[in-house]
């Protein structure tokens, strides 16, 4: 019902240079959300691909998606009484932020389990197993008939997969609730029922899902950042969803990360939780659901990364939340989109890359046989910035039109958009750039944190994370006083 952003790639073929294409991509995003045209004259996008070793425009994707989020923050600042300011996103800095690099007390962190990766199956095709969570690793090993536990070797997995075809193992793993993807070409993905379903979806959807009076944004106060006093509930894990919340926190929002005490996290939480409050609530219990309901009653944005349908079963689907908090902006992230046979399938950036053709295309461009991943988790990061963009565009519409709004983004939709951007000739001649110039050191609840500072630059309201990242459950389940 109501307004729906519709941006289906390819949408700007024929751009002659990377820089022109970046502006074209940003303009298409901005116009699709019916954001004010004047704001596009206040953005600077220096840099051009290649900035990382890839045949895809990963730099453009990072720069454009982040610039959309930052420019939306600048527009909200303007709506709150501030003068329009210049926003700049340097491409080289933006892609550094997508590398997810950080150290704690001088030690670089590694999230990858040794079993995670690609394997050739008995039919000659390949599968990718995601085993970074212990229960996913042990589930995949049990399905293969291998011993479970951290001591198992990759050779045992290779031998076991020699008795499977790639597609059969992918399907068996999905039925068991595991996370595996078979390698496909772009053509194969385009013919797949889920690829067809995703091709019918916009890049980002912003849909009115209920009536509510408009809630004008308050005039800005002492904190010179665009999202001051905007309250965001962040029910996400892993990368894309946390990046959305981290971005909104950089622009001044009070972001409360809500973790379940029963679900595992990856160590990247120390980096992606910068700027956030961090609380615990178990939605499987009445107490946890009451806690969430109480927090919702004064929230502006609700961000969640559960599989489609999961929160509905707890009473916190989009329409449920719109009834609890009329005027809410509800942001949903999924792996493969909210329609199609894979709508409820678990997935991560690396798996979507494999399933939707990117690993095959990168391998072809590099002249190698084995699947080749893109150099960063660009689907995760670009999706996170697009979520932040959609959330702010919906906030702006709510402030002027009223209503409750549902923003939807998926890794597969972002992947399709990335395909529409220009391929990069000789992209593999580019070396991985040095990180040193982009790092900052801060204290955190996890130790001394060194990580990449935010790449979006504002001429009047510098982005910053006012709160250090802290472990889950550090803060009480109440909003801070304004």
């Amino acid at each position: 019902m109501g307004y729906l952003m519709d941006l289906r790639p390819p949408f700007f073929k024929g751009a002659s240079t990377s820089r022109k294409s970046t502006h074209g991509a940003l303009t298409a995003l901005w116009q699709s959300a019916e954001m004010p045209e004047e704001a596009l004259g206040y953005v600077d996008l220096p840099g051009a691909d290649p900035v990382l070793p890839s045949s895809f425009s990963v730099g453009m994707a990072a720069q454009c998606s982040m610039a959309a989020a930052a420019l939306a923050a600048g527009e909200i600042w303007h709506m709150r009484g501030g003068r329009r300011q210049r926003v700049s996103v340097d491409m080289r800095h933006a892609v550094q932020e997508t590398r997810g690099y950080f150290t704690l007390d001088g030690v670089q962190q590694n999230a990858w389990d040794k079993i995670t990766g690609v394997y050739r199956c008995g039919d000659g095709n390949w599968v990718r197993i995601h085993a970074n969570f212990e229960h996913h690793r042990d589930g995949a090993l049990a399905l293969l008939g291998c011993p479970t536990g951290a001591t198992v070797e990759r050779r045992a997995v290779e031998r076991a997969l020699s008795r499977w075809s790639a597609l059969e193992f992918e399907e068996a793993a999905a039925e068991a609730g595991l996370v595996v993807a078979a390698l496909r070409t772009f053509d194969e993905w385009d013919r797949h029922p889920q690829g067809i379903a995703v091709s019918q979806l916009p890049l980002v959807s912003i849909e009115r899902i209920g009536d509510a009076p408009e809630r004008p944004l308050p005039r800005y106060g002492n904190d010179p950042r665009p999202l001051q006093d905007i309250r965001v509930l962040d029910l996400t894990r892993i990368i894309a969803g946390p990046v959305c919340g981290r971005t909104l926190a950089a622009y001044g929002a009070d972001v409360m990360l809500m973790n379940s005490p029963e679900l595992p996290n990856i160590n990247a939480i120390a980096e992606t939780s910068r700027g956030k409050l961090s609380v615990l609530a178990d939605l499987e219990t009445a107490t946890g659901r009451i806690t969430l309901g109480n927090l919702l009653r004064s929230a502006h944005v609700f961000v969640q990364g559960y599989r489609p349908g999961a929160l509905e079963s707890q009473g916190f689907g989009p329409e449920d939340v719109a009834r609890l908090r009329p005027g809410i902006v509800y942001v949903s992230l999924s792996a493969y989109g909210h329609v199609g046979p894979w709508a409820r399938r678990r997935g991560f950036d690396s798996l979507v890359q494999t399933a939707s053709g990117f690993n095959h295309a990168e391998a072809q461009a590099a002249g190698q046989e084995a699947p080749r991943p893109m150099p960063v988790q660009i689907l995760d990061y670009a999706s996170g910035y697009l979520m932040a963009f959609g959330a702010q565009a919906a906030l702006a519409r709510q402030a002027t039109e009223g209503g409750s709004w549902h923003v939807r983004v998926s890794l597969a939709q972002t992947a399709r958009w990335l395909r529409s951007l220009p391929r990069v000739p000789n992209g593999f001649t580019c070396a991985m750039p040095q990180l040193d110039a982009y790092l900052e050191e801060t204290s955190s609840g996890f130790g001394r944190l060194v990580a990449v500072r935010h790449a979006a630059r504002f001429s009047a309201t510098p982005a910053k994370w006012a709160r250090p990242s802290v472990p889950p459950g550090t803060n009480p389940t109440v909003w801070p006083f304004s």
Side-chain angles (χ1 to χ4, degrees), residues 221-468:
N222 295 327
D223 182 359
R225 288 185 298 164
L227 301 187
Q228 176 192 359
D229 300 330
I230 299 299
R231 292 173 169 176
V232 179
L233 275 168
D234 181 355
L235 276 71
T236 67
R237 295 187 301 148
I238 319 304
I239 301 297
V243 164
C244 169
R246 187 188 68 185
T247 302
L248 297 175
Y251 305 155
D254 287 317
V255 179
M256 182 178 288
L257 175 63
M258 179 176 285
N259 274 263
S260 167
E262 303 303 320
L263 294 176
N265 278 291
I266 60 174
N267 57 12
I269 190 173
E271 190 268 332
T272 59
S273 294
R274 285 180 285 176
K276 302 179 187 179
L277 303 160
S278 190
V279 305
L280 288 174
D282 185 357
L283 299 186
E284 297 292 334
T285 68
T287 299
R289 292 190 293 272
I290 291 169
T291 297
L292 178 54
N294 287 337
L295 291 167
L296 264 172
R297 287 182 173 86
S298 56
H300 301 87
V301 180
F302 181 91
V303 184
Q304 63 90 15
Y306 287 77
R307 284 178 300 134
L311 279 183
E312 280 86 342
S313 65
Q314 303 289 354
F316 293 101
E319 287 76 15
D320 302 315
V321 170
R323 284 191 294 270
L324 282 168
R325 173 56 161 159
I328 195 72
V329 171
Y330 190 107
V331 184
S332 294
L333 169 72
S334 61
Y336 292 103
H338 60 279
V339 297
W342 285 16
R344 294 176 180 266
R345 184 167 292 198
R346 293 175 172 88
F348 298 98
D349 179 304
S350 57
L351 297 177
V352 177
Q353 285 191 38
T354 302
S356 64
F358 281 90
N359 288 178
H360 176 267
E362 280 279 64
Q364 278 193 321
Q368 67 182 54
E369 181 183 8
R372 182 183 179 112
M374 286 183 282
V376 292
Q377 304 281 285
I378 189 60
L379 305 184
D380 267 332
Y381 282 89
S383 294
Y385 301 132
L386 290 170
M387 292 165 70
F389 166 66
Q392 293 175 101
L395 273 175
R397 296 190 72 86
Q398 205 291 326
T400 56
E401 300 177 17
S404 299
W405 298 83
H406 190 192
V407 177
R408 285 188 287 212
V409 175
S410 77
L411 303 182
Q413 288 160 262
T414 300
R416 185 169 175 81
W417 173 63
L418 178 58
R419 275 180 65 182
S420 78
L421 304 181
R423 291 293 289 272
V424 181
N426 303 315
F428 295 114
T429 62
C430 178
M432 290 294 280
Q434 294 296 311
L435 278 160
D436 296 354
Y438 306 101
L439 298 176
E440 63 181 8
E441 182 175 347
T442 58
S443 61
S444 81
F446 300 90
R448 197 68 184 167
L449 175 68
V450 174
V452 177
R453 65 182 183 274
H454 189 47
R457 314 291 287 179
F458 296 79
S459 61
T461 62
K464 64 177 181 179
W465 289 294
R467 297 184 174 100

Side-chain angles (χ1 to χ4, degrees), residues 142-202:
L143 181 62
L144 290 168
C146 296
T148 59
T151 59
V152 71
E153 296 295 329
R154 286 181 63 92
R155 290 190 298 274
V157 178
E158 292 167 352
R159 288 193 297 269
L161 281 169
S162 69
R163 300 188 290 271
W164 287 81
S165 75
L167 293 178
E168 288 174 345
F169 184 65
E170 176 189 66
E171 190 59 31
E175 290 176 0
L178 305 173
V179 277
V180 170
L183 182 74
R184 290 177 176 80
T185 66
F186 282 148
D187 287 343
E188 289 170 336
W189 178 247
D190 290 344
R191 295 193 301 270
H192 189 276
Q194 192 59 35
I196 294 170
V198 170
S199 73
Q200 305 305 307
L201 296 176

